Amino acid sequence: RISTNEGKGIHACGVVVTDQPVKEYTSILYREDPENNHIPTQCTAHSAMTIEEEGLYKIDLLEMETLSDIKKIISLVQAKHDIYINLDAIKPNDNKTLQLFRAGDSDDVLHFDCMRKYLQQLQPTKFEELVAMNTLFTPGLFDLIPEYIERKKNSETIRYEFQFEKKYLSETYGLVIYQEQLMQIAQDVAGFTKVESEALRKALQKRNKLDIEKLAIKFKEGTLNNGFSDKETERIWSKYFEFEDVPFLLNKSHAVCYAWIGYQCAYLKANYPEEYAEVLSARNKKKKNWILKR
């Protein structure tokens, strides 16, 4: 496990995978953990960034209780009504489910329970808008939510300065909210390969000034070679890749996966409200009792 605070704590989900015992690569700390009845091994005095820079493979493994809730709800519906729900077959634009979001009835819906007001304002009509909201409801992009809602309601507020922008930004109403959008722009206007655009994304996200400066030279050369003027090249870079202004962006696949699980919850709540409430009520009661015991 990856440590935090110089080895005094354990990262919530960071795990290092090595082909040899981890102690061959970095220092470790054995610490008794009676609550979980095991002795965790963790890398000490290293941030996750340093772990990766040392060539170790780091993955994030997150536990999600919601998946168990979904399984219980499906089993309960089948037991009560002899109906098997195949969540792989539900439509991403189910009107009853979207109406639940439009009504702001997203209590106990994963990742959407805190944004009821914004969902009522947005009045989502397609799954892609839920993905966008899932991304926007993060510290770095939160202030863009009112603008996103306004642009959805009034297309006249959307302005594209360059022709390529509509191709990559129309889905999000002219706003950059996904890492992939920046990467696609770099590939389109500067001829970056997928590997180079990933290197640029990583440098921007980690605020690595030295790497950004190197990639900026290559970006501007590529943009000029693709027929953009010096002024346009400078404008594109400053608009999208000036690292002081680039917010922390999520990758779209991450947002889609989380939004889809939330959507499945909303589907079950909209179509089987009694079973949904029964399972969630039991889980919340169990959690409350655990907190009181602590």
Side-chain angles (χ1 to χ4, degrees):
R1 296 290 297 274
I2 294 177
S3 67
T4 58
N5 299 324
E6 302 299 317
K8 296 177 183 177
I10 299 178
H11 192 282
C13 60
V15 179
V16 175
V17 180
T18 61
D19 60 345
Q20 298 291 330
V22 69
K23 66 181 180 180
E24 300 295 328
Y25 299 97
T26 186
S27 57
I28 60 174
L29 170 68
Y30 291 99
R31 190 183 68 177
E32 294 288 347
D33 188 0
E35 185 172 313
N36 293 310
N37 196 29
H38 68 266
I39 303 173
T41 303
Q42 64 182 48
C43 304
T44 62
H46 293 282
S47 68
M49 185 187 301
T50 305
I51 285 294
E52 290 176 323
E53 288 175 349
E54 289 184 354
L56 298 181
Y57 183 59
K58 190 263 299 183
I59 57 176
D60 290 339
L61 293 176
L62 280 168
E63 171 185 6
M64 188 173 286
E65 194 173 12
T66 301
L67 298 177
S68 297
D69 293 337
I70 289 173
K71 185 177 180 180
K72 290 175 184 176
I73 294 164
I74 291 174
S75 297
L76 190 58
V77 170
Q78 189 168 19
K80 282 187 174 183
H81 309 291
D82 196 24
I83 297 173
Y84 174 71
I85 305 167
N86 181 5
L87 289 180
D88 292 331
I90 66 175
K91 297 178 180 180
N93 295 322
D94 176 70
N95 187 60
K96 197 170 184 179
T97 305
L98 289 173
Q99 182 53 43
L100 179 143
F101 284 113
R102 289 193 286 267
D105 186 19
S106 57
D107 293 34
D108 289 321
V109 173
L110 182 72
H111 291 302
F112 293 99
D113 53 351
C114 295
M115 60 176 83
R116 288 169 291 175
K117 177 182 72 173
Y118 296 110
L119 290 169
Q120 289 174 319
Q121 294 173 1
L122 177 66
Q123 291 292 291
T125 52
K126 53 186 178 180
F127 176 69
E128 289 78 6
E129 291 172 351
L130 298 175
V131 177
M133 286 298 291
N134 191 263
T135 302
L136 289 166
F137 209 80
T138 55
L141 298 172
F142 187 82
D143 291 340
L144 287 177
I145 292 177
E147 185 175 356
Y148 177 81
I149 293 172
E150 178 58 28
R151 288 181 177 219
K152 189 252 169 124
K153 291 181 176 180
N154 183 8
S155 60
E156 292 182 1
T157 61
I158 304 172
R159 298 284 187 271
Y160 295 112
E161 187 177 354
F162 300 99
Q163 188 174 358
F164 67 82
E165 292 177 317
K166 188 172 184 178
K167 181 179 179 180
Y168 300 117
L169 307 182
S170 59
E171 180 187 329
T172 52
Y173 306 120
L175 296 174
V176 174
I177 65 175
Y178 303 123
Q179 295 173 357
E180 290 88 342
Q181 290 173 306
L182 288 185
M183 295 168 68
Q184 288 168 333
I185 290 172
Q187 292 171 44
D188 191 319
V189 305
F192 271 32
T193 64
K194 287 181 171 63
V195 172
E196 290 168 338
S197 64
E198 164 62 10
L200 178 58
R201 178 209 63 79
K202 194 170 185 179
L204 289 169
Q205 293 297 113
K206 295 191 174 183
R207 302 294 196 263
N208 189 321
K209 192 172 183 179
L210 185 61
D211 285 348
I212 292 170
E213 289 174 352
K214 291 178 182 177
L215 289 164
I217 295 172
K218 185 174 182 62
F219 179 91
K220 291 171 184 178
E221 288 175 352
T223 309
L224 290 169
N225 289 336
N226 278 344
F228 291 90
S229 67
D230 287 332
K231 186 176 180 180
E232 289 172 328
T233 297
E234 291 296 333
R235 175 59 183 153
I236 294 169
W237 179 264
S238 65
K239 186 174 183 179
Y240 293 108
F241 303 99
E242 203 66 60
F243 78 93
E244 294 94 343
D245 300 323
V246 176
F248 183 83
L249 303 174
L250 296 179
N251 62 71
K252 188 177 180 181
S253 59
H254 179 282
V256 168
C257 289
Y258 273 88
W260 182 243
I261 296 173
Y263 182 87
Q264 290 177 333
C265 292
Y267 175 87
L268 293 171
K269 184 177 182 181
N271 290 277
Y272 305 96
E274 291 183 9
E275 291 76 14
Y276 192 88
E278 184 175 336
V279 170
L280 269 292
S281 177
R283 191 247 278 177
N284 291 336
K285 184 178 180 180
K286 182 180 178 182
K287 184 177 289 186
K288 183 179 179 181
N289 290 337
W290 180 82
I291 292 172
L292 291 173
K293 287 180 181 179
R294 298 277 290 184

